[in-house]
Amino acid sequence: LILLNFGTSGQLDSMESVPDLQKAMYKFIDGYPCVRLLNLSGVIGCSNPGREMVVAPIVSYRSDKELSQSSAVLVSLDEIESFFTKIRNDSSFARNIAGVIVESGIEIQKNLKGFSPTQKFPQAEFAPYQTTNYEWNPIGSGIMWNEYNFPVFLLSESGTVTLLEAATKNEKSNKAYIADVAEFDLVMQTTKAGTHDSESCLKEGTCLPLGGYRTRTLIDSGDCVGSVWSSLPPINVSSTDQSRPVLLTVASMDSASFFRDKSLGADSPFSGLIALLAAIDALSFIDGLDDLKKQLVFIVFTGEAWGYLGSRRFLFELDLQSDAVGGLNNSLIEMVLEIGSVGKGFNQGVNKFYAHEAGVSSATNETLDALKYAQESLDSEHIIISPANASNPGIPPSSLMAFLRKNSITSGLVLEDFDSVFSNNFYHSHLDNISNINSSAVVAAASLVARTLYILASGDTNISSSTLTAINVNVSLVEELMDCLLGCDPGLSCELVKNYITPSTTCPSYYVGVMLDEPSSTPYLGAVADISRFLWNFLADRTSIPSKNGSSACSQGCSKNEVCIRAEADGKGVCAISTTRYVPAYSTRLKFESGIWTVLPPNSSDPMGMSDPVWTESNWNAIGLRVYTVQDPGYDRLVLLGGISVTVLAYVAIVITRAFITKALKRD
């Protein structure tokens, strides 16, 4: 029985339809779910335990208090790790967990020293070295990698207020038979069908593979998110002379967290991505790029948080020489420079970064020398670049690992804001947001990268200081990119993004998503995600040269080697010569055939494929959380029993009274 508390008679009078009644009965709560993920060996993440919704009274978590009944537990963010540890270690406590609701709030975040729900060595199975017990992320708890057979939601700030009120109301209530309850709709199809690994769920159609090309959100059926690459200057793909060595500069654009659609990754990896975009912008204003002795190529990977899907697929496409990588040749890649987490490099007026080398080679030594030269040219900016500690087991978790596992003699270097352990205490957490990074550190990293790339590409170790000082990073652009890509105000509705695309949402999230079907080399742009479309247009714009045709309007048709930029922003677009492409990002162990994804057997020639977990995400019909007031069924039964008893007693009384009256009348 649901009890309704209408504040006034006016509220009752306003009920004109069933939806009005439902709105008064239920409070629908904004939140972010933890969902069910699968791999070849099992499952992680969260799900209702069966096929039905979970309903339980709301209680606030107290570490010194046991649960007396099945409950929806409201947990403060600063207690979440100890709470899940208790669930793992105390079976009697875990038995009464019906669902978990996690509070959020600015004050909680300010007081939190760190929260990283991933492993201490993220994705250690892909490391190109044996010391996989090393702790790059010592604060990592690993709680997001466990299986939870109950729903878990992170609340919005407004939802936190609502749930705190409900928990307080339940605690203070003198009526034990009335309670505010939470109803969780987090029924996963893999749970319903009993498919408990990636291979079986793909076969039964109850899940989809993680990947970055065509993805779904919790609200709509699909967006495309893919890796994007571009070159400066553009590559003439029709030319037979493709002999210039390639300097490949890498960044990532996806993150992960315990809660599916709350993955920003401001420091890891977006500070590196923003630094790369700012460096490309600075280089685009330099004259004489056609005279560079080496080809600059930039790529932004997605799917890196889930088995390096983007970098592995890129290398796979290079081997196939597919259209997605037309103009590139694996054998010409001389050096891989990755920009990792750089947003926390600023400390006490100094921007300090560390160069993590992948072994010793002439190309690596040249890059270190170029970094030092670039640092000296930025002397007034107080930038320090140091080699990482030689006692480190190797490079930190990064896309470069995929290149090294593919070819162990690859020359590469990762630029980071840490030496031996992560400086980001919110790695792979929903709290890795814009407040976790410093714009001056991103500007410094961008300046260092831009000048280093120019030194390397020119092949001249005696570049004049005046030439280098002409390469300047636009500070306002960095700040604008941070505001656009790392928050909701203005978020993706900012002028910079709207100058290139028409965004479908304001608040960004960078979870990789899932593959609905096999991608093509030319995706339908109406289904491409905002972030990928923006990056494609930004890179195409900054790396392009004007069209050679008399008219540059896209309506007239773009020539070969040309692309159409800003097509959706002004409805017309401009043709320009650019080598900018989308590249899919999904497991090399997967094949799409006859409308079905299948898992391919491991191939000894693909060492990372041998370690590939093949991540998938369970399907679902709907996800939601709502709160309402109920009356205890036991009390209902007691009232019913009381009513029946009264009825029976009344009947007996009537029979006895009638008999008595009849007898009395006969005497008379």
Side-chain angles (χ1 to χ4, degrees):
L1 177 66
I2 300 170
L3 303 180
L4 306 180
N5 293 315
F6 300 107
T8 64
S9 59
Q11 195 170 359
L12 275 168
D13 294 338
S14 67
M15 297 293 165
E16 297 179 353
S17 65
V18 172
D20 289 338
L21 181 61
Q22 287 182 328
K23 189 175 180 180
M25 291 165 59
Y26 303 111
K27 292 180 180 177
F28 292 88
I29 307 300
D30 291 331
Y32 307 90
C34 157
V35 300
R36 174 71 83 223
L37 298 174
L38 305 90
N39 56 35
L40 292 178
S41 58
V43 302
I44 67 169
C46 314
S47 171
N48 282 14
R51 302 176 176 222
E52 306 298 329
M53 295 186 188
V54 171
V55 180
I58 304 162
V59 299
S60 291
Y61 172 63
R62 302 284 185 272
S63 58
D64 57 348
K65 186 178 179 182
E66 293 300 318
L67 298 175
S68 59
Q69 61 178 330
S70 180
S71 305
V73 185
L74 181 63
V75 184
S76 175
L77 189 59
D78 56 1
E79 293 184 297
I80 187 171
E81 289 186 356
S82 61
F83 173 78
F84 278 102
T85 300
K86 186 173 183 178
I87 288 176
R88 188 170 63 250
N89 298 331
D90 188 344
S91 58
S92 62
F93 176 76
R95 199 176 300 120
N96 283 323
I97 302 293
V100 178
I101 314 161
V102 181
E103 300 174 26
S104 66
I106 296 174
E107 290 304 315
I108 297 174
Q109 182 175 344
K110 285 180 180 178
N111 298 327
L112 203 60
K113 293 182 179 179
F115 172 59
S116 178
T118 192
Q119 308 107 320
K120 296 183 185 300
F121 189 153
Q123 306 193 88
E125 64 270 27
F126 295 107
Y129 46 83
Q130 299 299 315
T131 317
T132 55
N133 60 346
Y134 186 80
E135 295 186 1
W136 288 104
N137 183 33
I139 201 171
S141 64
I143 61 172
M144 67 179 278
W145 295 90
N146 298 326
E147 175 187 1
Y148 302 106
N149 290 315
F150 50 78
V152 181
F153 277 79
L154 171 70
L155 298 171
S156 63
E157 289 191 40
S158 61
T160 297
V161 172
T162 300
L163 269 294
L164 281 171
E165 289 175 353
T168 303
K169 179 181 172 184
N170 284 344
E171 191 174 339
K172 293 181 177 180
S173 176
N174 295 321
K175 300 177 181 179
Y177 55 88
I178 295 177
D180 280 10
V181 299
E183 180 186 86
F184 301 88
D185 187 356
L186 196 68
V187 179
M188 297 284 123
Q189 288 188 16
T190 51
T191 304
K192 292 169 67 175
T195 48
H196 302 301
D197 60 69
S198 290
E199 191 161 12
S200 63
C201 72
L202 287 172
K203 190 178 296 183
E204 294 296 324
T206 59
C207 67
L208 288 168
L210 293 193
Y213 217 77
R214 182 180 284 260
T215 72
R216 64 181 172 192
T217 66
L218 292 182
I219 311 170
D220 58 62
S221 60
D223 271 344
C224 279
V225 181
S227 302
V228 181
W229 74 273
S230 189
S231 65
L232 184 68
I235 298 171
N236 184 358
V237 295
S238 59
S239 172
T240 56
D241 182 21
Q242 302 286 348
S243 58
R244 279 202 296 181
V246 170
L247 297 174
L248 183 63
T249 310
V250 173
S252 300
M253 65 165 155
D254 75 296
S255 185
S257 91
F258 195 95
F259 307 100
R260 184 191 192 273
D261 285 332
K262 196 67 171 173
S263 304
L264 272 178
D267 185 41
S268 309
F270 258 77
S271 61
L273 169 58
I274 292 172
L276 174 60
L277 297 180
I280 295 170
D281 175 73
L283 289 168
S284 69
F285 291 99
I286 304 301
D287 294 327
L289 292 174
D290 285 327
D291 299 325
L292 294 176
K293 295 179 181 178
K294 298 177 184 179
Q295 178 69 54
L296 294 174
V297 174
F298 314 101
I299 185 160
V300 184
F301 291 126
T302 191
E304 297 301 272
W306 299 98
Y308 301 110
L309 298 176
S311 51
R312 288 173 51 220
R313 174 56 60 173
F314 171 72
L315 291 169
F316 185 79
E317 298 290 327
L318 275 179
D319 285 345
L320 296 177
Q321 278 297 292
S322 70
D323 292 341
V325 292
L328 285 182
N329 189 319
N330 200 8
S331 63
L332 293 177
I333 298 177
E334 180 181 276
M335 179 71 192
V336 180
L337 173 61
E338 181 167 357
I339 312 174
S341 306
V342 295
K344 300 183 76 65
F346 182 80
N347 187 25
Q348 296 181 342
V350 176
N351 291 290
K352 188 165 187 179
F353 305 102
Y354 296 88
H356 296 258
E357 307 166 48
V360 178
S361 68
S362 59
T364 305
N365 290 335
E366 285 177 18
T367 305
L368 287 171
D369 291 341
L371 282 166
K372 282 292 184 183
Y373 194 8
Q375 173 198 312
E376 291 167 4
S377 73
L378 291 161
D379 186 54
S380 62
E381 304 296 325
H382 306 292
I383 299 173
I384 298 175
I385 179 74
S386 302
N389 197 316
S391 64
N392 291 350
I395 61 169
S398 56
S399 301
L400 183 55
M401 285 184 168
F403 288 83
L404 290 171
R405 290 292 297 272
K406 176 75 174 176
N407 182 0
S408 61
I409 62 171
T410 299
S411 296
L413 183 149
V414 187
L415 187 68
E416 300 276 12
D417 57 16
F418 61 87
D419 185 2
S420 297
V421 297
F422 291 173
S423 58
N424 182 8
N425 289 332
F426 298 105
Y427 182 82
H428 279 187
S429 156
H430 66 283
L431 299 178
D432 187 9
N433 54 32
I434 194 170
S435 66
N436 195 38
I437 61 174
N438 189 296
S439 62
S440 65
V442 179
V443 170
S447 302
L448 195 63
V449 168
R451 296 189 182 188
T452 298
L453 289 176
Y454 186 79
I455 293 168
L456 290 171
S458 66
D460 185 358
T461 56
N462 296 309
I463 297 177
S464 66
S465 58
S466 60
T467 302
L468 288 182
T469 53
I471 304 174
N472 293 305
V473 166
N474 185 339
V475 176
S476 297
L477 174 64
V478 170
E479 293 172 348
E480 191 172 9
L481 284 166
M482 288 174 60
D483 288 338
C484 293
L485 303 181
L486 299 177
C488 296
D489 186 17
L492 295 175
S493 62
C494 69
E495 287 305 313
L496 176 62
V497 173
K498 288 164 65 177
N499 187 41
Y500 291 108
I501 67 169
T502 303
S504 61
T505 185
T506 298
C507 296
S509 181
Y510 302 116
Y511 173 72
V512 62
V514 293
M515 305 286 295
L516 296 182
D517 50 34
E518 188 174 33
S520 69
S521 59
T522 54
Y524 167 59
L525 295 183
V528 176
D530 293 342
I531 181 62
S532 288
R533 297 197 326 276
F534 167 69
L535 288 176
W536 187 95
N537 278 273
F538 183 93
L539 291 174
D541 182 34
R542 295 303 199 270
T543 63
S544 66
I545 57 178
S547 173
K548 293 180 180 179
N549 293 337
S551 171
S552 62
C554 295
S555 59
Q556 303 297 317
C558 298
S559 302
K560 189 177 181 181
N561 295 334
E562 292 185 347
V563 297
C564 183
I565 305 169
R566 295 191 181 95
E568 59 183 290
D570 59 9
K572 299 176 182 178
V574 176
C575 291
I577 300 171
S578 175
T579 314
T580 305
R581 305 278 189 274
Y582 291 106
V583 187
Y586 61 97
S587 171
T588 57
R589 290 277 309 274
L590 289 174
K591 183 179 182 181
F592 188 78
E593 197 170 41
S594 302
I596 298 174
W597 288 98
T598 56
V599 178
L600 300 172
N603 187 336
S604 57
S605 65
D606 178 16
M608 289 194 84
M610 302 280 284
S611 305
D612 191 350
V614 188
W615 287 107
T616 57
E617 180 185 82
S618 177
N619 296 336
W620 60 77
N621 290 325
I623 288 180
L625 173 65
R626 62 183 184 177
V627 174
Y628 51 90
T629 305
V630 298
Q631 189 166 275
D632 184 75
Y635 183 80
D636 291 344
R637 288 191 289 269
L638 185 62
V639 171
L640 177 61
L641 182 61
I644 293 172
S645 300
V646 169
T647 302
V648 171
L649 289 173
Y651 177 76
V652 171
I654 290 171
V655 170
I656 293 173
T657 302
R658 181 189 292 174
F660 178 78
I661 293 173
T662 302
K663 188 175 181 181
L665 289 173
K666 285 181 178 180
R667 285 177 183 172
D668 292 340

